[in-house]
Amino acid sequence: MAHTCVHWFRKGLRLHDNPALMAALRDCKELYPVFILDPHLHNNTCVGINRWRFLVGALKDLDCSLRGLNSRLFVVRGKPEEVFPELFDRWKVTKLTYEYDTEPYSLSRDKTVATLAKEHGVEVIYKISHTLYDTERIIEENSGKAPLTYNRMQVIVKTLGPPKRPVPAPTIEDMQGAMTPCSENHEKKYGIPTLEELGQDAAALGEEQFPGGEQEALRRLDKHMKRTGWVCSFEKPQTSPNSLSPSTTVLSPYVTFGCLSARTFWWRLAEVYQGKKHSSPPVSLHGQLLWREFFYTASVGISNFNKMEGNPVCTQVDWDTNPEYLAAWREARTGFPFIDAIMTQLRQEGWIHHLARHAVACFLTRGDLWISWEEGQKVFEELLLDGDWALNAGNWQWLSASAFFHQYFRVYSPVAFGKKTDKNGDYIKKYLPLLKKFPAEYIYEPWKAPRSVQQAAGCIVGKDYPQPIAKHEVISKKNIQRMKLAYAKRSGDSAESANKSPVKRQGTKRKAPSVVDMLKKKDRRK
Ligand code: FAD
C-alpha cells in the first residue's frame, strides 16, 4: 500500500542522517514534512531572541532543502495533540514518522500523539538519531542504571562498538512517487514565522554570529575537519574560555537543533583521525561527543534530572533565595569583569566557551553567590543557542558539585582564572568597553585601582561600574564549609538508605575526577 505520510520535524532539523525521514519515503505517495510551533516548547519565557533567530534560520534552510526535492515544509501552529487529529483527517494520513526524543515532555507528548495516531489508523515509526547510541541500550548494558562516571561510560560504549554510521540524505530519486501537495496559499497557511510574528523585536538583535541551518552546520563541520592538525591535537582543557574568537568548534547549537547529526560529526572525526596520532577521550573531540552521550544517558536513567528535589544523584543543598544577586549575575552586574564579560557575551551572542560556563556557573552556585543551579539552568536555557535540556541540567549539576563531580573545595577564582589565558584582559575590553581604558594590572579588579587611575580610565567603580558583589576570598571559604555540611548530610542520608536506592549508593561511593584532573594524570603518565 502506498502511504500518505507526515514526517514530523522537531529536533533533527536536517535531511542528512535522518532515518525516520527515510522511513517516511518508503512506499510513499504523498509526503507532508511538518514542524509544529508548540506553545509548550516555543514560548517567550524560555526562548531568548537569539535562539528564535537560530530556529527561524534552521526552518528556512530546511524548507529550502526540501524545495530542492520538490517538497516543502509545513509549519503548523498549535498543540501537537490538537493539531494532529485534524491533520490526520485533512490529509488522510496513513503513516507518521519522527526522530525519537528522550526529554520527559517529548516522551509524554509523543505517547499522546502515538495514541491519537492509532485511533486514526495511522502507523507510527520513530528512529533514534539524536544521540550516538540508543541511551536505553547503554543503561541496559550497565545493569539497568545510567553510568555515573565517564570511565564507566567508556567501558560500556566499548562493549557496544562504534556508533552506527549516518544514513545519507534523500535524493530526488528517493522522492520518486512521493509528491508534496502544496496549495497556493501555502505561505500564508504554513509559512515560516517571522520574528515579529513570534513577538520578538528584530531591532534588538546584534550581528548574527551563528546562523541556523543544516547547510551552515555542514559548512562549519567541513571547515573544522580540514584543520587536521587542530582536530588531532584537540584537548579541551587547553582551549581558552576568553579568546576573542571561539577556541572550540561552536557546533553545539547545530547539534542541539539537529541541524548536524552527532553521528555524522563522530564519523567525520574518525576519518580525520584515521592513520594519525590523535588525542583521546575525555579531552579529544570524540571525547566531547561522549560527554554529550554521558549526560543524555544520565538524563534518561535518573529521575527528575533537571531538579534537585527528587533527583537521586543530586546532593541536597540549602541554596539561598536572592533575587538581587541572581539579577546581578544574569545582567552582568556582579562587579567582577571576567564574570560580567562572559554574561554579556552570552546575552549578545548566545554562545560562551565551556570553561567560561564553568566560571559563571561556579560563581553563581557554590563559589560565591550560593544560588541554586536550577536558577542558572533557567537563564542558560533562555540565552544559550545550544540550550539543551539534558546537557544543561547535567553540566549544572557537575559545576555546582551537586552530582558527577565532587571536589567542591576546588573553586574557580573570578579574578585569577581568566588571567591565565588573557593577561591583558582583551576579552573583557571587548565585551565591557566601559572598562577598556583600565591598565592590565587592574582590568580584572578595577575596584583596586587608585582613584586617579579610575578617573583616567573614565570609569569610577561604584558609580559607572559596580563594586564587586562579594568578597570572593571570604565567601568562597564559607561556601566550601556549607558544601561540606551538605556532603556530610548526604553521607548520613545515604548510609541510612543504603539498601533503598541503588543509584544513590553508586553516587556516594564515586569520586569523579574533573577533566583537568584527568589531563594532569595523563601528563604525569607521559
Ligand atoms: P566542542 O568542544 O567543540 O565540542 C563538540 C561537541 O561536543 C559540542 O558541540 C557538544 O555537542 C558536545 N560537548 C562538548 N562539551 C560537552 C559537555 N561538557 N557536555 C555535553 N556535551 C558536550 N552544551 C550544550 O550543548 N547545551 C547546553 O545547554 C549546555 N549547558 C551547559 C551548562 C553548563 C553550566 C556547562 C558548564 C556546560 C554546558 N554545556 C552545554 C556543555 C558545553 O559547554 C558545550 O557543549 C560546549 O561549550 C559547546 O561548544 P562547542 O560546540 O564549541 O564544543
Side-chain angles (χ1 to χ4, degrees):
M1 172 184 126
H3 284 280
T4 297
C5 191
V6 167
H7 176 73
W8 183 11
F9 285 99
R10 304 100 65 87
K11 294 172 188 163
L13 300 178
R14 63 172 182 267
L15 298 190
H16 75 277
D17 195 25
N18 195 334
L21 177 62
M22 294 313 272
L25 290 175
R26 227 162 285 135
D27 300 322
C28 176
K29 62 179 165 63
E30 284 183 3
L31 173 73
Y32 291 92
V34 163
F35 180 87
I36 300 180
L37 264 183
D38 175 354
H40 179 90
L41 288 178
H42 309 110
N43 68 61
N44 292 339
T45 50
C46 66
V47 183
I49 187 163
N50 282 321
R51 201 143 103 238
W52 276 122
R53 173 165 66 179
F54 192 94
L55 174 65
V56 168
L59 294 176
K60 279 187 187 159
D61 177 72
L62 189 59
D63 186 40
C64 177
S65 302
L66 285 165
R67 282 179 203 228
L69 296 174
N70 297 326
S71 183
R72 286 299 302 269
L73 183 66
F74 293 68
V75 179
V76 185
R77 282 89 172 145
K79 293 183 188 156
E81 65 273 21
E82 289 169 9
V83 159
F84 271 117
E86 208 194 304
L87 293 184
F88 291 154
D89 289 341
R90 190 186 314 157
W91 293 335
K92 305 202 174 16
V93 177
T94 58
K95 189 158 75 173
L96 170 68
T97 60
Y98 53 80
E99 179 184 68
Y100 187 64
D101 189 335
T102 53
E103 284 183 33
Y105 167 73
S106 311
L107 286 172
S108 79
R109 173 198 63 192
D110 293 353
K111 199 169 158 206
T112 310
V113 170
T115 308
L116 290 167
K118 207 169 161 200
E119 285 165 15
H120 285 75
V122 175
E123 180 191 357
V124 174
I125 298 178
Y126 61 81
K127 301 278 182 189
I128 292 167
S129 51
H130 189 60
T131 44
L132 296 174
Y133 297 91
D134 173 355
T135 48
E136 276 161 29
R137 198 55 203 91
I138 295 175
I139 292 173
E140 212 178 279
E141 202 63 36
N142 192 42
S143 318
K145 288 174 272 176
L148 294 181
T149 66
Y150 191 88
N151 284 349
R152 183 73 197 143
M153 180 76 182
Q154 278 180 296
V155 170
I156 303 293
V157 160
K158 224 178 201 156
T159 64
L160 295 178
K164 276 191 189 154
R165 287 199 179 260
V167 298
T171 59
I172 277 279
E173 284 74 46
D174 294 313
M175 298 291 288
Q176 291 303 320
M179 56 95 78
T180 298
C182 276
S183 59
E184 269 178 15
N185 63 353
H186 182 89
E187 230 46 78
K188 201 162 168 230
K189 229 172 151 186
Y190 301 113
I192 292 158
T194 59
L195 285 173
E196 287 68 30
E197 179 191 334
L198 296 165
Q200 303 294 316
D201 175 14
L205 280 163
E207 194 196 328
E208 189 168 25
Q209 306 263 2
F210 313 108
E214 177 182 17
Q215 295 316 310
E216 183 66 19
L218 294 173
R219 193 189 66 74
R220 284 174 183 250
L221 178 69
D222 272 345
K223 194 184 89 192
H224 287 302
M225 294 306 110
K226 283 192 185 121
R227 302 161 70 200
T228 315
W230 181 77
V231 169
C232 289
S233 60
F234 184 95
E235 294 200 338
K236 187 67 163 268
Q238 306 300 343
T239 59
S240 162
N242 46 8
S243 50
L244 295 184
S245 55
S247 60
T248 53
T249 65
V250 198
L251 287 171
S252 52
Y254 302 92
V255 178
T256 293
F257 280 88
C259 302
L260 175 64
S261 139
R263 296 191 299 213
T264 300
F265 193 173
W266 175 277
W267 282 104
R268 289 291 302 276
L269 286 167
E271 276 169 31
V272 176
Y273 291 156
Q274 186 71 40
K276 296 182 200 79
K277 194 169 166 271
H278 60 85
S279 53
S280 308
V283 296
S284 62
L285 278 167
H286 261 177
Q288 302 315 299
L289 290 173
L290 286 179
W291 279 115
R292 178 174 182 269
E293 209 68 10
F294 171 77
F295 287 121
Y296 257 91
T297 310
S299 77
V300 169
I302 297 165
S303 45
N304 297 307
F305 191 63
N306 66 334
K307 298 187 182 83
M308 179 176 80
E309 272 179 40
N311 174 340
V313 302
C314 183
T315 304
Q316 306 296 302
V317 178
D318 64 337
W319 303 112
D320 291 340
T321 304
N322 193 327
E324 280 110 63
Y325 274 14
L326 178 60
W329 177 79
R330 188 194 149 91
E331 289 157 21
R333 292 189 278 106
T334 68
F336 286 97
F338 181 52
I339 301 295
D340 293 342
I342 295 169
M343 294 307 286
T344 305
Q345 185 188 10
L346 173 61
R347 179 166 298 277
Q348 285 175 0
E349 297 173 9
W351 182 88
I352 47 177
H353 185 275
H354 181 61
L355 295 175
R357 300 181 198 206
H358 275 225
V360 295
C362 182
F363 186 86
L364 178 74
T365 57
R366 64 190 170 87
D368 296 77
L369 302 187
W370 203 257
I371 289 176
S372 165
W373 60 269
E374 287 180 49
E375 296 298 335
Q377 177 184 237
K378 279 185 227 156
V379 173
F380 270 27
E381 187 189 342
E382 182 198 336
L383 298 179
L384 276 173
L385 289 175
D386 63 30
D388 176 294
W389 191 86
L391 305 187
N392 202 18
N395 278 286
W396 270 100
Q397 286 173 77
W398 180 295
L399 257 301
S400 60
S402 297
F404 309 114
F405 171 79
H406 297 103
Q407 292 166 334
Y408 58 82
F409 42 86
R410 295 178 65 154
V411 173
Y412 288 101
S413 156
V415 171
F417 184 48
K419 275 189 193 171
K420 277 197 239 168
T421 39
D422 178 24
K423 255 201 177 64
N424 281 332
D426 292 333
Y427 173 82
I428 293 173
K429 291 178 189 171
K430 175 174 176 185
Y431 290 102
L432 302 177
L434 181 72
L435 300 177
K436 72 170 187 269
K437 289 198 181 131
F438 271 92
E441 193 185 349
Y442 298 113
I443 186 101
Y444 284 86
E445 303 169 280
W447 64 91
K448 287 194 176 163
R451 185 87 181 170
S452 58
V453 174
Q454 295 185 27
Q455 268 162 350
C459 173
I460 305 294
V461 175
K463 184 171 153 260
D464 306 312
Y465 181 72
Q467 289 283 357
I469 194 167
K471 275 202 159 44
H472 174 73
E473 292 72 22
V474 179
I475 200 78
S476 59
K477 289 201 179 75
K478 193 177 141 212
N479 288 348
I480 288 173
Q481 292 312 313
R482 287 179 91 173
M483 212 61 196
K484 200 173 173 181
L485 277 175
Y487 268 57
K489 190 161 182 301
R490 190 180 75 154
S491 309
D493 288 351
S494 61
E496 247 172 57
S497 60
N499 295 319
K500 287 186 201 152
S501 159
V503 178
K504 194 162 203 168
R505 251 197 342 263
Q506 199 177 339
T508 52
K509 269 190 212 162
R510 180 193 70 251
K511 194 172 168 215
S514 70
V515 180
V516 178
D517 288 337
M518 290 192 216
L519 188 75
K520 278 189 189 148
K521 254 193 221 158
K522 209 170 129 234
D523 282 346
R524 276 203 296 275
R525 259 186 261 133
K526 272 188 203 159

PDB file of all heavy atoms in Angstrom, residues 490-518:
ATOM      1  N   ARG A 490      24.557  14.262  53.229  1.00  0.00           N
ATOM      2  CA  ARG A 490      24.294  13.300  52.171  1.00  0.00           C
ATOM      3  C   ARG A 490      24.837  11.917  52.543  1.00  0.00           C
ATOM      4  O   ARG A 490      24.174  10.902  52.360  1.00  0.00           O
ATOM      5  CB  ARG A 490      24.973  13.770  50.891  1.00  0.00           C
ATOM      6  CG  ARG A 490      24.572  12.990  49.682  1.00  0.00           C
ATOM      7  CD  ARG A 490      25.286  13.498  48.465  1.00  0.00           C
ATOM      8  NE  ARG A 490      26.671  13.066  48.484  1.00  0.00           N
ATOM      9  CZ  ARG A 490      27.400  12.911  47.389  1.00  0.00           C
ATOM     10  NH1 ARG A 490      26.884  13.180  46.224  1.00  0.00           N
ATOM     11  NH2 ARG A 490      28.639  12.513  47.455  1.00  0.00           N
ATOM     12  N   SER A 491      26.072  11.888  53.112  1.00  0.00           N
ATOM     13  CA  SER A 491      26.656  10.596  53.511  1.00  0.00           C
ATOM     14  C   SER A 491      25.780   9.952  54.563  1.00  0.00           C
ATOM     15  O   SER A 491      25.541   8.759  54.531  1.00  0.00           O
ATOM     16  CB  SER A 491      28.057  10.778  54.078  1.00  0.00           C
ATOM     17  OG  SER A 491      28.802  11.531  53.195  1.00  0.00           O
ATOM     18  N   GLY A 492      25.322  10.791  55.528  1.00  0.00           N
ATOM     19  CA  GLY A 492      24.452  10.265  56.584  1.00  0.00           C
ATOM     20  C   GLY A 492      23.185   9.677  55.993  1.00  0.00           C
ATOM     21  O   GLY A 492      22.841   8.532  56.254  1.00  0.00           O
ATOM     22  N   ASP A 493      22.570  10.467  55.113  1.00  0.00           N
ATOM     23  CA  ASP A 493      21.319  10.014  54.490  1.00  0.00           C
ATOM     24  C   ASP A 493      21.522   8.728  53.712  1.00  0.00           C
ATOM     25  O   ASP A 493      20.752   7.803  53.790  1.00  0.00           O
ATOM     26  CB  ASP A 493      20.794  11.064  53.499  1.00  0.00           C
ATOM     27  CG  ASP A 493      20.244  12.270  54.232  1.00  0.00           C
ATOM     28  OD1 ASP A 493      20.135  12.184  55.471  1.00  0.00           O
ATOM     29  OD2 ASP A 493      19.944  13.277  53.569  1.00  0.00           O
ATOM     30  N   SER A 494      22.651   8.700  52.973  1.00  0.00           N
ATOM     31  CA  SER A 494      22.787   7.534  52.110  1.00  0.00           C
ATOM     32  C   SER A 494      23.193   6.308  52.918  1.00  0.00           C
ATOM     33  O   SER A 494      22.900   5.193  52.533  1.00  0.00           O
ATOM     34  CB  SER A 494      23.746   7.791  50.966  1.00  0.00           C
ATOM     35  OG  SER A 494      24.995   8.090  51.471  1.00  0.00           O
ATOM     36  N   ALA A 495      23.862   6.525  54.089  1.00  0.00           N
ATOM     37  CA  ALA A 495      24.164   5.374  54.941  1.00  0.00           C
ATOM     38  C   ALA A 495      22.840   4.788  55.428  1.00  0.00           C
ATOM     39  O   ALA A 495      22.639   3.579  55.433  1.00  0.00           O
ATOM     40  CB  ALA A 495      25.020   5.798  56.124  1.00  0.00           C
ATOM     41  N   GLU A 496      21.923   5.707  55.766  1.00  0.00           N
ATOM     42  CA  GLU A 496      20.611   5.273  56.242  1.00  0.00           C
ATOM     43  C   GLU A 496      19.841   4.505  55.175  1.00  0.00           C
ATOM     44  O   GLU A 496      19.230   3.493  55.431  1.00  0.00           O
ATOM     45  CB  GLU A 496      19.768   6.526  56.559  1.00  0.00           C
ATOM     46  CG  GLU A 496      19.455   6.700  58.026  1.00  0.00           C
ATOM     47  CD  GLU A 496      18.795   8.058  58.209  1.00  0.00           C
ATOM     48  OE1 GLU A 496      17.765   8.314  57.585  1.00  0.00           O
ATOM     49  OE2 GLU A 496      19.370   8.871  58.975  1.00  0.00           O
ATOM     50  N   SER A 497      19.934   5.044  53.947  1.00  0.00           N
ATOM     51  CA  SER A 497      19.113   4.443  52.895  1.00  0.00           C
ATOM     52  C   SER A 497      19.938   3.534  51.982  1.00  0.00           C
ATOM     53  O   SER A 497      19.581   3.293  50.840  1.00  0.00           O
ATOM     54  CB  SER A 497      18.451   5.541  52.066  1.00  0.00           C
ATOM     55  OG  SER A 497      19.470   6.331  51.501  1.00  0.00           O
ATOM     56  N   ALA A 498      21.069   3.058  52.532  1.00  0.00           N
ATOM     57  CA  ALA A 498      21.992   2.288  51.694  1.00  0.00           C
ATOM     58  C   ALA A 498      21.326   1.122  50.971  1.00  0.00           C
ATOM     59  O   ALA A 498      21.707   0.771  49.877  1.00  0.00           O
ATOM     60  CB  ALA A 498      23.146   1.775  52.532  1.00  0.00           C
ATOM     61  N   ASN A 499      20.326   0.543  51.587  1.00  0.00           N
ATOM     62  CA  ASN A 499      19.703  -0.598  50.929  1.00  0.00           C
ATOM     63  C   ASN A 499      18.489  -0.207  50.113  1.00  0.00           C
ATOM     64  O   ASN A 499      17.813  -1.046  49.556  1.00  0.00           O
ATOM     65  CB  ASN A 499      19.307  -1.639  51.977  1.00  0.00           C
ATOM     66  CG  ASN A 499      20.545  -2.200  52.632  1.00  0.00           C
ATOM     67  OD1 ASN A 499      21.530  -2.440  51.936  1.00  0.00           O
ATOM     68  ND2 ASN A 499      20.524  -2.349  53.953  1.00  0.00           N
ATOM     69  N   LYS A 500      18.220   1.100  50.076  1.00  0.00           N
ATOM     70  CA  LYS A 500      16.986   1.507  49.387  1.00  0.00           C
ATOM     71  C   LYS A 500      17.237   1.965  47.956  1.00  0.00           C
ATOM     72  O   LYS A 500      16.487   1.650  47.083  1.00  0.00           O
ATOM     73  CB  LYS A 500      16.308   2.649  50.157  1.00  0.00           C
ATOM     74  CG  LYS A 500      15.649   2.166  51.434  1.00  0.00           C
ATOM     75  CD  LYS A 500      14.891   3.317  52.062  1.00  0.00           C
ATOM     76  CE  LYS A 500      14.653   3.089  53.543  1.00  0.00           C
ATOM     77  NZ  LYS A 500      14.553   4.349  54.262  1.00  0.00           N
ATOM     78  N   SER A 501      18.277   2.736  47.767  1.00  0.00           N
ATOM     79  CA  SER A 501      18.433   3.363  46.457  1.00  0.00           C
ATOM     80  C   SER A 501      19.763   2.993  45.810  1.00  0.00           C
ATOM     81  O   SER A 501      20.802   3.519  46.174  1.00  0.00           O
ATOM     82  CB  SER A 501      18.350   4.885  46.629  1.00  0.00           C
ATOM     83  OG  SER A 501      18.953   5.508  45.542  1.00  0.00           O
ATOM     84  N   PRO A 502      19.721   2.107  44.824  1.00  0.00           N
ATOM     85  CA  PRO A 502      20.971   1.702  44.198  1.00  0.00           C
ATOM     86  C   PRO A 502      21.691   2.858  43.519  1.00  0.00           C
ATOM     87  O   PRO A 502      22.901   2.933  43.556  1.00  0.00           O
ATOM     88  CB  PRO A 502      20.550   0.649  43.170  1.00  0.00           C
ATOM     89  CG  PRO A 502      19.070   0.750  43.039  1.00  0.00           C
ATOM     90  CD  PRO A 502      18.556   1.443  44.256  1.00  0.00           C
ATOM     91  N   VAL A 503      20.927   3.780  42.939  1.00  0.00           N
ATOM     92  CA  VAL A 503      21.574   4.883  42.218  1.00  0.00           C
ATOM     93  C   VAL A 503      22.330   5.757  43.205  1.00  0.00           C
ATOM     94  O   VAL A 503      23.462   6.141  43.004  1.00  0.00           O
ATOM     95  CB  VAL A 503      20.525   5.715  41.450  1.00  0.00           C
ATOM     96  CG1 VAL A 503      21.177   6.872  40.747  1.00  0.00           C
ATOM     97  CG2 VAL A 503      19.791   4.841  40.452  1.00  0.00           C
ATOM     98  N   LYS A 504      21.690   6.003  44.342  1.00  0.00           N
ATOM     99  CA  LYS A 504      22.299   6.858  45.347  1.00  0.00           C
ATOM    100  C   LYS A 504      23.577   6.188  45.893  1.00  0.00           C
ATOM    101  O   LYS A 504      24.590   6.817  46.086  1.00  0.00           O
ATOM    102  CB  LYS A 504      21.303   7.097  46.470  1.00  0.00           C
ATOM    103  CG  LYS A 504      21.719   8.222  47.379  1.00  0.00           C
ATOM    104  CD  LYS A 504      20.540   8.691  48.164  1.00  0.00           C
ATOM    105  CE  LYS A 504      20.750  10.104  48.623  1.00  0.00           C
ATOM    106  NZ  LYS A 504      19.545  10.675  49.123  1.00  0.00           N
ATOM    107  N   ARG A 505      23.495   4.856  46.119  1.00  0.00           N
ATOM    108  CA  ARG A 505      24.666   4.154  46.649  1.00  0.00           C
ATOM    109  C   ARG A 505      25.846   4.345  45.705  1.00  0.00           C
ATOM    110  O   ARG A 505      26.919   4.714  46.101  1.00  0.00           O
ATOM    111  CB  ARG A 505      24.347   2.668  46.777  1.00  0.00           C
ATOM    112  CG  ARG A 505      24.213   2.259  48.213  1.00  0.00           C
ATOM    113  CD  ARG A 505      24.290   0.789  48.468  1.00  0.00           C
ATOM    114  NE  ARG A 505      24.094  -0.107  47.393  1.00  0.00           N
ATOM    115  CZ  ARG A 505      22.958  -0.712  47.087  1.00  0.00           C
ATOM    116  NH1 ARG A 505      21.885  -0.462  47.768  1.00  0.00           N
ATOM    117  NH2 ARG A 505      22.898  -1.572  46.108  1.00  0.00           N
ATOM    118  N   GLN A 506      25.570   4.162  44.446  1.00  0.00           N
ATOM    119  CA  GLN A 506      26.642   4.304  43.475  1.00  0.00           C
ATOM    120  C   GLN A 506      27.171   5.741  43.481  1.00  0.00           C
ATOM    121  O   GLN A 506      28.352   5.983  43.454  1.00  0.00           O
ATOM    122  CB  GLN A 506      26.096   3.975  42.085  1.00  0.00           C
ATOM    123  CG  GLN A 506      27.194   3.653  41.099  1.00  0.00           C
ATOM    124  CD  GLN A 506      26.591   3.257  39.766  1.00  0.00           C
ATOM    125  OE1 GLN A 506      25.435   2.870  39.697  1.00  0.00           O
ATOM    126  NE2 GLN A 506      27.373   3.354  38.732  1.00  0.00           N
ATOM    127  N   GLY A 507      26.217   6.688  43.624  1.00  0.00           N
ATOM    128  CA  GLY A 507      26.581   8.101  43.613  1.00  0.00           C
ATOM    129  C   GLY A 507      27.497   8.478  44.753  1.00  0.00           C
ATOM    130  O   GLY A 507      28.423   9.250  44.585  1.00  0.00           O
ATOM    131  N   THR A 508      27.303   7.919  45.940  1.00  0.00           N
ATOM    132  CA  THR A 508      28.088   8.366  47.079  1.00  0.00           C
ATOM    133  C   THR A 508      29.470   7.728  47.126  1.00  0.00           C
ATOM    134  O   THR A 508      30.396   8.291  47.654  1.00  0.00           O
ATOM    135  CB  THR A 508      27.369   8.063  48.407  1.00  0.00           C
ATOM    136  OG1 THR A 508      27.018   6.699  48.401  1.00  0.00           O
ATOM    137  CG2 THR A 508      26.143   8.935  48.589  1.00  0.00           C
ATOM    138  N   LYS A 509      29.620   6.570  46.552  1.00  0.00           N
ATOM    139  CA  LYS A 509      30.925   5.906  46.572  1.00  0.00           C
ATOM    140  C   LYS A 509      31.897   6.585  45.617  1.00  0.00           C
ATOM    141  O   LYS A 509      33.077   6.649  45.829  1.00  0.00           O
ATOM    142  CB  LYS A 509      30.752   4.459  46.097  1.00  0.00           C
ATOM    143  CG  LYS A 509      30.489   3.491  47.211  1.00  0.00           C
ATOM    144  CD  LYS A 509      30.580   2.094  46.627  1.00  0.00           C
ATOM    145  CE  LYS A 509      29.656   1.156  47.338  1.00  0.00           C
ATOM    146  NZ  LYS A 509      29.393  -0.048  46.576  1.00  0.00           N
ATOM    147  N   ARG A 510      31.317   7.063  44.554  1.00  0.00           N
ATOM    148  CA  ARG A 510      32.112   7.530  43.441  1.00  0.00           C
ATOM    149  C   ARG A 510      32.844   8.834  43.748  1.00  0.00           C
ATOM    150  O   ARG A 510      32.385   9.683  44.455  1.00  0.00           O
ATOM    151  CB  ARG A 510      31.114   7.754  42.300  1.00  0.00           C
ATOM    152  CG  ARG A 510      31.637   8.230  41.049  1.00  0.00           C
ATOM    153  CD  ARG A 510      30.464   8.677  40.221  1.00  0.00           C
ATOM    154  NE  ARG A 510      29.891   9.884  40.799  1.00  0.00           N
ATOM    155  CZ  ARG A 510      28.733   9.926  41.403  1.00  0.00           C
ATOM    156  NH1 ARG A 510      28.024   8.852  41.559  1.00  0.00           N
ATOM    157  NH2 ARG A 510      28.274  11.058  41.872  1.00  0.00           N
ATOM    158  N   LYS A 511      34.051   8.944  43.224  1.00  0.00           N
ATOM    159  CA  LYS A 511      34.738  10.212  43.311  1.00  0.00           C
ATOM    160  C   LYS A 511      35.225  10.534  41.905  1.00  0.00           C
ATOM    161  O   LYS A 511      36.256  10.043  41.460  1.00  0.00           O
ATOM    162  CB  LYS A 511      35.909  10.072  44.276  1.00  0.00           C
ATOM    163  CG  LYS A 511      36.485  11.407  44.685  1.00  0.00           C
ATOM    164  CD  LYS A 511      37.507  11.230  45.769  1.00  0.00           C
ATOM    165  CE  LYS A 511      38.261  12.521  45.958  1.00  0.00           C
ATOM    166  NZ  LYS A 511      39.637  12.346  46.290  1.00  0.00           N
ATOM    167  N   ALA A 512      34.430  11.295  41.199  1.00  0.00           N
ATOM    168  CA  ALA A 512      34.740  11.503  39.790  1.00  0.00           C
ATOM    169  C   ALA A 512      35.794  12.585  39.620  1.00  0.00           C
ATOM    170  O   ALA A 512      35.677  13.664  40.190  1.00  0.00           O
ATOM    171  CB  ALA A 512      33.474  11.917  39.050  1.00  0.00           C
ATOM    172  N   PRO A 513      36.840  12.316  38.848  1.00  0.00           N
ATOM    173  CA  PRO A 513      37.836  13.360  38.610  1.00  0.00           C
ATOM    174  C   PRO A 513      37.323  14.381  37.606  1.00  0.00           C
ATOM    175  O   PRO A 513      36.456  14.061  36.786  1.00  0.00           O
ATOM    176  CB  PRO A 513      39.013  12.576  38.010  1.00  0.00           C
ATOM    177  CG  PRO A 513      38.404  11.346  37.420  1.00  0.00           C
ATOM    178  CD  PRO A 513      37.141  11.068  38.176  1.00  0.00           C
ATOM    179  N   SER A 514      37.851  15.590  37.677  1.00  0.00           N
ATOM    180  CA  SER A 514      37.463  16.595  36.697  1.00  0.00           C
ATOM    181  C   SER A 514      38.255  16.360  35.419  1.00  0.00           C
ATOM    182  O   SER A 514      39.235  15.605  35.413  1.00  0.00           O
ATOM    183  CB  SER A 514      37.777  17.992  37.229  1.00  0.00           C
ATOM    184  OG  SER A 514      39.167  18.156  37.257  1.00  0.00           O
ATOM    185  N   VAL A 515      37.851  17.033  34.345  1.00  0.00           N
ATOM    186  CA  VAL A 515      38.594  16.900  33.086  1.00  0.00           C
ATOM    187  C   VAL A 515      40.038  17.338  33.306  1.00  0.00           C
ATOM    188  O   VAL A 515      40.979  16.721  32.829  1.00  0.00           O
ATOM    189  CB  VAL A 515      37.960  17.796  31.990  1.00  0.00           C
ATOM    190  CG1 VAL A 515      38.724  17.670  30.703  1.00  0.00           C
ATOM    191  CG2 VAL A 515      36.523  17.432  31.788  1.00  0.00           C
ATOM    192  N   VAL A 516      40.187  18.419  34.074  1.00  0.00           N
ATOM    193  CA  VAL A 516      41.530  18.945  34.317  1.00  0.00           C
ATOM    194  C   VAL A 516      42.363  17.893  35.058  1.00  0.00           C
ATOM    195  O   VAL A 516      43.519  17.628  34.712  1.00  0.00           O
ATOM    196  CB  VAL A 516      41.456  20.268  35.121  1.00  0.00           C
ATOM    197  CG1 VAL A 516      42.842  20.793  35.414  1.00  0.00           C
ATOM    198  CG2 VAL A 516      40.643  21.297  34.359  1.00  0.00           C
ATOM    199  N   ASP A 517      41.759  17.224  36.067  1.00  0.00           N
ATOM    200  CA  ASP A 517      42.468  16.160  36.800  1.00  0.00           C
ATOM    201  C   ASP A 517      42.930  15.064  35.861  1.00  0.00           C
ATOM    202  O   ASP A 517      44.053  14.585  35.920  1.00  0.00           O
ATOM    203  CB  ASP A 517      41.522  15.477  37.810  1.00  0.00           C
ATOM    204  CG  ASP A 517      41.226  16.391  38.968  1.00  0.00           C
ATOM    205  OD1 ASP A 517      42.034  17.286  39.194  1.00  0.00           O
ATOM    206  OD2 ASP A 517      40.184  16.192  39.625  1.00  0.00           O
ATOM    207  N   MET A 518      41.984  14.681  34.992  1.00  0.00           N
ATOM    208  CA  MET A 518      42.296  13.572  34.096  1.00  0.00           C
ATOM    209  C   MET A 518      43.463  13.937  33.198  1.00  0.00           C
ATOM    210  O   MET A 518      44.332  13.139  32.920  1.00  0.00           O
ATOM    211  CB  MET A 518      41.066  13.232  33.252  1.00  0.00           C
ATOM    212  CG  MET A 518      39.965  12.600  34.057  1.00  0.00           C
ATOM    213  SD  MET A 518      38.741  11.944  32.953  1.00  0.00           S
ATOM    214  CE  MET A 518      37.257  12.261  33.833  1.00  0.00           C
TER     215      MET A 518
END
